Amino acid sequence: MAERESRSHDATGIGDLIFMGPPGVGKGTQAKRLTERNGWVQLSTGELFRDHLKRQTPLGQMAQRYMDRGDYVPDDVTIDMVREFLSELTPDTRVMFDGFPRTVAQALALDALLAERSRSIGRVLVLDAPRDELVRRILARSRAEGRADDTPDVITKRFEVYAEQTQPVVDHYHAKDLVRRVNGLGGIDEITDRLIEGAR
Ligand code: AMP
């Protein structure tokens, strides 16, 4: 049923999605499942930065300095990257923004960029789980994937930055009554189903 329901989202014009959550909550995994299952287009700014890094582009080299410290890449750089992505979109797609916006400045810029294209945010999903569980997951992933931005100091920094800069973004969309909080504990399928339910 989830698949039948969600396929129709593209045509209903109920707006784009923002997918948020603290470090380690499993956003990446779930974003992939959600977009594959529903035909949404995923924009992961973290993945774009990692891709630039792998290719050692000037943008990637610049972003690396921030990523290695657990800091956010400057807003203007991140917003420019998203602007370029949006310029290539066709109107009939539903975008899932994954890990963007992460600051209030990015949220305001996104609202304006979407309005220019007669688009808008229809839902903000916030996936959450207790912090000790999140740290455990990040350390496990770090061992498995060898991500350079996953050392203990960097992990602590990433939680601080999330609380300081990204929690206000949740508040920004909460004021517009767009936020649905989703429990990030449980089986992968179970969480995907909860997110699909929350995206309606
Ligand atoms: P993620 O894979 O989403 O956790 O992103 C990995 C890293 O990329 C983050 O820790 C930031 O350094 C950078 N990054 C990703 N998205 C953003 C964003 N919206 N604003 C600033 N920096 C970002």
Side-chain angles (χ1 to χ4, degrees):
M1 177 177 106
E3 287 196 353
R4 182 177 54 76
E5 288 277 345
S6 49
R7 254 201 299 273
S8 64
H9 279 180
D10 289 347
T12 56
I14 68 171
D16 293 321
L17 278 164
I18 293 174
F19 190 23
M20 299 177 66
V25 78
K27 261 189 303 106
T29 306
Q30 289 295 340
K32 287 235 156 43
R33 293 170 69 93
L34 288 168
T35 46
E36 276 166 16
R37 236 161 105 165
N38 300 299
W40 302 335
V41 174
Q42 179 189 9
L43 171 66
S44 162
T45 43
E47 266 180 27
L48 286 182
F49 285 133
R50 276 190 291 279
D51 181 57
H52 275 279
L53 199 76
K54 221 180 280 166
R55 293 187 284 120
Q56 285 293 301
T57 67
L59 173 62
Q61 287 170 349
M62 194 276 267
Q64 180 171 26
R65 297 207 302 273
Y66 298 91
M67 294 168 79
D68 282 352
R69 290 200 303 256
D71 271 329
Y72 288 165
V73 178
D75 283 335
D76 53 345
V77 176
T78 308
I79 291 165
D80 279 351
M81 199 169 68
V82 172
R83 181 183 292 115
E84 193 186 320
F85 171 88
L86 286 175
S87 71
E88 290 161 8
L89 269 187
T90 54
D92 57 341
T93 46
R94 188 179 198 197
V95 181
M96 168 177 254
F97 295 96
D98 167 14
F100 179 91
R102 267 165 142 114
T103 66
V104 171
Q106 289 178 15
L108 296 174
L110 179 62
D111 290 344
L113 284 173
L114 291 178
E116 281 168 18
R117 291 164 177 77
S118 305
R119 308 179 73 101
S120 62
I121 296 300
R123 187 65 76 222
V124 178
L125 294 172
V126 181
L127 189 62
D128 214 350
R131 176 150 165 185
D132 50 354
E133 167 67 15
L134 296 175
V135 172
R136 199 188 58 73
R137 287 187 197 177
I138 294 171
L139 291 173
R141 181 182 68 187
S142 171
R143 280 190 293 273
E145 295 177 16
R147 268 177 56 161
D149 56 345
D150 282 347
T151 63
D153 281 355
V154 172
I155 293 168
T156 305
K157 174 75 178 178
R158 287 171 76 202
F159 278 105
E160 280 169 18
V161 171
Y162 183 84
E164 279 166 23
Q165 303 204 44
T166 304
Q167 187 54 47
V169 178
V170 179
D171 301 338
H172 170 80
Y173 290 111
H174 187 71
K176 298 173 184 249
D177 195 24
L178 293 174
V179 175
R180 297 291 176 272
R181 290 184 186 279
V182 176
N183 177 4
L185 289 182
I188 291 188
D189 288 335
E190 201 182 350
I191 297 170
T192 307
D193 288 344
R194 282 180 209 148
L195 286 164
I196 288 175
E197 185 64 34
R200 292 208 177 108

